[in-house]
Each structure stands twice: as structure tokens, then as C-alpha cells.
Amino acid sequence: MNSDIVVGRLKQWKSQMWLLWAEWFDSDCAWVAGSNDYLSGVIQEDYGKSMQPVATPESEKLH
């Protein structure tokens, strides 16, 4: 598993906590922070998934 995928999922999890905090305490600033982190996490996870096939060694591609 690529580190970008792990970091992306961690950002998404953290953003869900921010959104939960925003809902409990009616905080618009926390909602914006959570939404931005979630989007950043999704983009980073997708980037990691797209880079994973490229990062495989040539010896594995031949077999």
C-alpha cells in the first residue's frame, strides 16, 4: 500500500471528526476545516492509487 493512500485515508478520518465536532458545537469554522481536509484526503488517496501501478518494479511486470 502506498503511503499516499494511507495519509489520504487518515486525512479523511480526521475530517470526519472535524465535521462531527462542527455538528455538535454548531461551528462553521470546524465545518470548513473538515470539508477541506476531506477533499484533500480524497485527492491524495486517488493520487496514491494512480501512482501505485507506476511504482511497481520492471521485474514484476515481466512475470
Side-chain angles (χ1 to χ4, degrees):
M1 184 177 279
N2 194 340
S3 65
D4 286 324
I5 296 171
V6 174
V7 172
R9 288 184 183 170
L10 180 64
K11 283 184 180 180
Q12 290 176 30
W13 181 80
K14 186 177 96 174
S15 72
Q16 291 298 322
M17 295 300 115
W18 273 112
L19 292 174
L20 189 60
W21 179 272
E23 183 179 324
W24 285 347
F25 296 104
D26 197 28
S27 172
D28 292 335
C29 293
W31 184 85
V32 169
S35 296
N36 287 341
D37 281 347
Y38 186 79
L39 179 61
S40 173
V42 168
I43 291 171
Q44 188 165 6
E45 182 181 356
D46 288 342
Y47 175 76
K49 287 180 181 177
S50 68
M51 291 301 294
Q52 197 167 18
V54 176
T56 57
E58 286 295 322
S59 62
E60 291 180 10
K61 290 181 183 178
L62 296 176
H63 295 292

